[in-house]
């Protein structure tokens, strides 16, 4: 009867050790590919952006780049128009978020109150259609429809109302951008709020109706509190997404007239590809990233996932 050699024993011990390591850290092996992808598409570009914001010009050898410290940040906020673009962006985000949330909830409540199944399906499809329009297509259509000479909207205002249509893209460009984004993305809020309304137990609504609560009290004291998780998640997602707005505004106004609609994203684009100020663009992007993360964390901390689900 042959006995195992020392080499075979060592190999078996090594395989057993590897098997133990595999089983012990099994969850980490499964998430490792996702972590690697996140590092490649998120953390590495962020670190490189921070590097670009601290040098004069990028070079093939990163160790030969001229380090300029916070000079790019100073240029961005003194001569790069970063402060103005931040103000414009915050104005658009807050205004559009409020309008989209209110209109989305109002439309969801109307559709949820419809009894006929086919009618409800028709309205659901009708209200979702605007979200299917691509930003570039929406901007192109908007420029045509809002044109003071050939646009259908100024024509209808001038002929069907006692008012004179303003020059939407030159006199009230910021309001126009907000309203156009509201038209495009209110369906997103509508979908989520409608799903939330559909999940409210009918027994709660019936109980409040039996107690004699009017419609507004049923929404304020029963329906909306029950929908807190839905409202919180929808608002947070849309808030972050609004900070990423670029295509529709750039296609509609190019950030103008002047800098009237120059969002931070447009300012970064212009500094990078028009002014050829890569360091300044990177500096604005770094500050903007920190700003958006801070806003999102403040919202989460003030409202809180735990508080929402209590």
């Amino acid at each position: 009867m042959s006995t195992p050699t020392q080499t075979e024993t060592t190999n078996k011990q090594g395989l057993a050790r590897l098997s133990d390591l595999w089983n012990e850290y099994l969850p980490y092996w499964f998430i490792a590919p996702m972590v690697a992808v996140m590092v490649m598409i998120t953390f590495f570009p962020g670190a490189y952006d921070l590097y670009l914001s601290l040098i004069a010009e990028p070079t093939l050898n990163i160790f030969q780049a001229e380090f300029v410290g916070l000079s790019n940040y100073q240029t961005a906020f003194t001569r790069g128009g970063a402060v103005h673009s931040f103000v414009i962006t915050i104005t658009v985000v807050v205004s559009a978020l409020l309008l989209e949330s209110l209109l989305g909830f109002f439309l969801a409540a109307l559709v949820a109150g419809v009894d006929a199944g086919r009618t409800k399906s028709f309205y659901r499809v009708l209200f979702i259609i605007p979200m299917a329009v691509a930003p570039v297509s929406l901007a192109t259509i908007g420029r045509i429809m809002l044109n003071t000479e050939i646009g259908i909207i100024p024509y209808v205002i001038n002929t069907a109302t006692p008012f004179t249509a303003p020059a939407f893209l030159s006199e009230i460009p910021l309001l126009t951008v907000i309203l156009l984004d509201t038209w495009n993305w209110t369906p997103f809020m509508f979908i989520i709020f409608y799903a939330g309304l559909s999940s409210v137990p009918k027994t709660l609504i019936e109980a409040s109706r039996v107690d004699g609560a009017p419609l507004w009290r049923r929404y304020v004291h029963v329906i909306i509190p029950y929908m807190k998780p839905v409202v919180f998640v929808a608002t947070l997602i849309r808030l972050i997404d609004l900070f990423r707005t670029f295509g529709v505004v750039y296609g509609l106004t190019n950030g103008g007239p002047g800098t009237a609609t120059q969002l931070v994203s447009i300012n970064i684009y212009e500094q990078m590809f028009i002014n050829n100020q890569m360091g300044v663009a990177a500096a604005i992007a770094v500050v903007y990233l920190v700003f958006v993360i801070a806003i999102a964390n403040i919202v989460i901390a003030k409202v809180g996932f735990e508080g929402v689900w209590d």
Side-chain angles (χ1 to χ4, degrees):
M1 181 176 181
S2 61
T3 58
T5 63
Q6 184 177 1
T7 303
E8 291 176 345
T9 303
T10 303
N11 291 337
K12 289 181 179 179
Q13 291 176 348
L15 291 174
R17 190 178 299 111
L18 288 175
S19 178
D20 292 339
L21 287 174
W22 172 261
N23 293 328
E24 183 177 357
Y25 296 100
L26 185 61
Y28 301 100
W29 303 132
F30 282 126
I31 68 173
M34 183 187 68
V35 172
V37 171
M38 289 296 295
V39 170
M40 291 295 295
I41 68 175
T42 303
F43 298 109
F44 174 73
Y48 188 67
D49 189 35
L50 179 62
Y51 158 76
L52 290 177
S53 70
L54 299 174
I55 63 174
E57 293 291 338
T59 59
L60 293 178
N61 188 343
I62 62 175
F63 300 103
Q64 294 180 351
E66 180 185 355
F67 179 76
V68 295
L70 300 179
S71 176
N72 289 324
Y73 292 88
Q74 181 181 4
T75 303
F77 284 90
T78 55
R79 300 192 302 273
V83 175
H84 174 75
S85 63
F86 267 80
V87 173
I88 295 297
T89 301
I90 293 172
T91 303
V92 172
V93 169
V94 173
S95 303
L97 184 62
L98 286 174
L99 286 174
E100 291 167 13
S101 300
L102 294 174
L103 287 174
F105 188 86
F106 178 73
L107 293 176
L110 288 179
V111 175
V114 175
D115 295 328
R118 291 187 176 180
T119 305
K120 184 177 292 188
S121 300
F122 169 77
Y123 282 124
R124 282 202 300 262
V125 174
L126 180 65
F127 292 151
I128 291 174
I129 289 175
M131 195 173 62
V133 182
V136 176
S137 301
L138 179 62
T140 304
I141 296 170
R143 289 179 69 92
I144 297 173
M145 294 182 66
L146 296 172
N147 188 280
T148 54
E149 296 180 358
I150 62 172
I152 184 64
I153 295 178
Y155 174 78
V156 170
I157 293 175
N158 290 331
T159 56
T161 69
F163 306 103
T164 301
F168 289 96
L169 300 181
S170 58
E171 294 180 3
I172 51 172
L174 192 59
L175 178 61
T176 302
V177 165
I178 293 171
L179 293 178
L180 197 63
D181 186 87
T182 300
W183 180 85
N184 191 201
W185 284 104
T186 294
F188 173 79
M189 306 300 282
F190 161 75
I191 293 172
I192 299 181
F193 288 152
Y194 179 77
L197 286 171
S198 301
S199 67
V200 178
K202 294 183 179 179
T203 54
L204 291 178
I205 301 175
E206 289 297 329
S208 62
R209 183 183 290 112
V210 170
D211 290 340
L215 181 61
W216 69 272
R217 281 190 177 275
R218 292 200 293 269
Y219 273 97
V220 172
H221 297 292
V222 178
I223 297 175
I224 294 179
Y226 191 88
M227 288 179 57
K228 280 196 302 183
V230 175
V231 174
F232 173 73
V233 171
T235 303
L236 183 62
I237 293 174
R238 189 65 195 126
L239 174 70
I240 296 174
D241 192 53
L242 275 166
F243 280 112
R244 299 169 51 248
T245 302
F246 174 80
V248 65
V249 179
Y250 190 77
L252 187 67
T253 65
N254 289 329
T259 57
T261 58
Q262 188 185 64
L263 304 177
V264 174
S265 55
I266 296 177
N267 191 14
I268 294 172
Y269 173 83
E270 292 181 349
Q271 295 293 341
M272 179 75 178
F273 297 104
I274 297 178
N275 300 336
N276 199 26
Q277 297 285 334
M278 186 177 296
V280 174
I284 299 174
V286 169
V287 175
Y288 193 49
L289 175 63
V290 174
F291 175 77
V292 174
I293 293 175
I295 292 295
N297 279 277
I298 289 173
V299 172
I300 294 173
K302 292 297 182 181
V303 181
F305 286 101
E306 294 181 358
V308 167
W309 269 269
D310 286 343

